[in-house]
Amino acid sequence: MSLAVQIRQHGGPEELQLVDVTVGAPGPGEVRIRHHAIGLNFIDVYHRTGLYPLTMPATIGMEGAGVIEAVGEGVTHLQVGDRAAYASNPPGAYCEVRVMPAKCVCKLPDAISFETGAAMMLKGLTAQYLLKKTLPVQGLQPGDFVLFHAAAGGVGLIACQWARALGLQLIATAGTDAKCQLALANGAAHAINYQTEDFAARVKDITGGQGVKVVYDSVGKDTWDKSLECLRPFGLMASFGNASGPVPPFAPGSLGAKGSLYVTRQTLFTHITTRESTQAMADELFAVVASGQVQIHIAQRYPLADVQQAHRDLEARKTTGSTLLTL
């Protein structure tokens, strides 16, 4: 038996209920993992509310770290007793023990703790594919300006540090002065409080009227229109989340009038569809963390039984950095 957090219908945090579940043996291509720590992410909110619908009853959660208890037929990269971490579909991380596909589970280097592993896999792999793979047509070179919204969150603080390591001038936005200071302390070249400042006007000032090559946006509806104003000609609008709500429909012709812009909607799970791509991305992440170029900031910890409060705080934007559910 294992404790798990399930929802029986989409809704608010009150739908998250702690239950006992039976966990069996892994099938072909699967592993059974006993969690030591679980990561909290905004995609968990999307699953809970039904923005991304799930079949009921459902256990949510996409990120965790622990020890491999059993290995199914055909799994060769993991063994019983291995320390491991993952960001993976299908959801199901909010539990003590789970059976899951092995292809996105990576062996965790000894130098990286379980808590750090659980706090960084989904967020760190997201930062990796954004800064290394989701690039404007003209590419990114040291000294280039990029705009990153919600820069004091889990993905944002990793991206601030990684961008600095790549020589990029990252312009951070956040909703409080304290969050802006946090982004600056983690490598952002500039920070804008979008609650008190017109971030599009500030971006133009910072870039000498040129605009940025790429905007990385997980906020969605509230930042979309002004983000397009921040781009230089042929710039890339990279959407990867909807924290304020989905982006409404827009006329593609508007992209031409604003400078022949490019738009993409990215998701991590397209990038980690194969075992090989997942491992290659994870190896890059492990390397920058082990080198000290990127530090994982765990700012909040909640016992698994307090998961409802964790969701309330995340949605109220009371959190910074990474958040863990502890066992």
Side-chain angles (χ1 to χ4, degrees):
M1 300 295 288
S2 166
L3 285 175
V5 174
Q6 284 191 344
I7 56 173
R8 297 194 174 277
Q9 62 183 12
H10 293 298
E14 68 280 357
E15 299 298 337
L16 297 163
Q17 300 295 323
L18 201 60
V19 299
D20 287 314
V21 296
T22 300
V23 182
E30 295 180 331
V31 294
R32 188 172 71 229
I33 184 169
R34 179 170 294 275
H35 290 132
H36 283 232
I38 301 157
L40 180 75
N41 295 281
F42 221 95
I43 193 172
D44 306 345
V45 174
Y46 302 154
H47 285 141
R48 192 203 73 224
T49 61
L51 180 64
Y52 300 167
L54 298 175
T55 302
M56 298 296 153
T59 301
I60 63 173
M62 310 291 284
E63 182 179 46
V67 175
I68 301 298
E69 285 193 338
V71 175
E73 181 184 349
V75 177
T76 59
H77 70 286
L78 294 166
Q79 298 179 353
V80 173
D82 280 350
R83 304 167 74 255
Y86 66 86
S88 179
N89 263 325
Y94 285 14
C95 64
E96 293 176 319
V97 183
R98 70 179 294 197
V99 170
M100 63 181 296
K103 69 177 182 179
C104 290
V105 182
C106 297
K107 192 171 180 179
L108 187 64
D110 290 340
I112 299 175
S113 71
F114 288 119
E115 285 204 342
T116 298
M120 78 176 190
M121 289 298 287
L122 190 144
K123 304 165 193 69
L125 293 177
T126 298
Q128 193 274 350
Y129 83 69
L130 290 173
L131 293 173
K132 303 299 287 290
K133 295 183 173 183
T134 310
L135 302 176
V137 67
Q138 297 168 327
L140 286 176
Q141 289 81 38
D144 283 344
F145 287 100
V146 303
L147 178 63
F148 206 103
H149 289 305
V155 176
L157 290 183
I158 295 171
C160 286
Q161 297 172 78
W162 209 328
R164 177 175 57 186
L166 294 170
L168 301 175
Q169 301 288 307
L170 185 144
I171 304 171
T173 74
T176 69
D177 289 344
K179 288 183 176 182
C180 286
Q181 289 302 314
L182 188 58
L184 290 168
N186 280 273
H190 305 271
I192 304 167
N193 183 340
Y194 52 62
Q195 298 288 356
T196 60
E197 298 182 85
D198 180 338
F199 71 80
R202 285 275 285 119
V203 165
K204 286 298 176 70
D205 287 343
I206 291 167
T207 62
Q210 296 298 305
V212 297
K213 279 189 171 182
V214 58
V215 177
Y216 296 114
D217 184 12
S218 64
V219 177
K221 175 174 63 69
D222 290 354
T223 50
W224 183 262
D225 290 337
K226 280 190 175 296
S227 292
L228 293 175
E229 296 175 22
C230 295
L231 288 165
R232 63 192 297 174
F234 308 110
L236 173 65
M237 179 67 190
S239 171
F240 67 102
N242 329 272
S244 66
V247 175
F250 66 95
S254 66
L255 301 176
K258 292 180 184 296
S260 301
L261 303 179
Y262 293 79
V263 171
T264 182
R265 178 54 166 95
Q266 294 285 308
T267 176
L268 170 63
F269 303 104
T270 311
H271 291 272
I272 58 172
T273 52
T274 69
R275 159 99 199 99
E276 293 75 20
S277 62
T278 303
Q279 191 64 56
M281 291 172 65
D283 287 345
E284 275 203 51
L285 175 61
F286 294 154
V288 295
V289 171
S291 73
Q293 291 179 300
V294 171
Q295 296 182 7
I296 307 302
H297 296 280
I298 302 169
Q300 300 80 211
R301 292 173 174 83
Y302 300 83
L304 186 61
D306 291 344
V307 65
Q308 292 185 5
Q309 189 60 48
H311 272 235
R312 291 188 187 99
D313 290 350
L314 182 64
E315 289 182 275
R317 303 188 182 184
K318 293 181 179 179
T319 65
T320 59
S322 296
T323 302
L324 290 181
L325 300 174
T326 60
L327 297 163

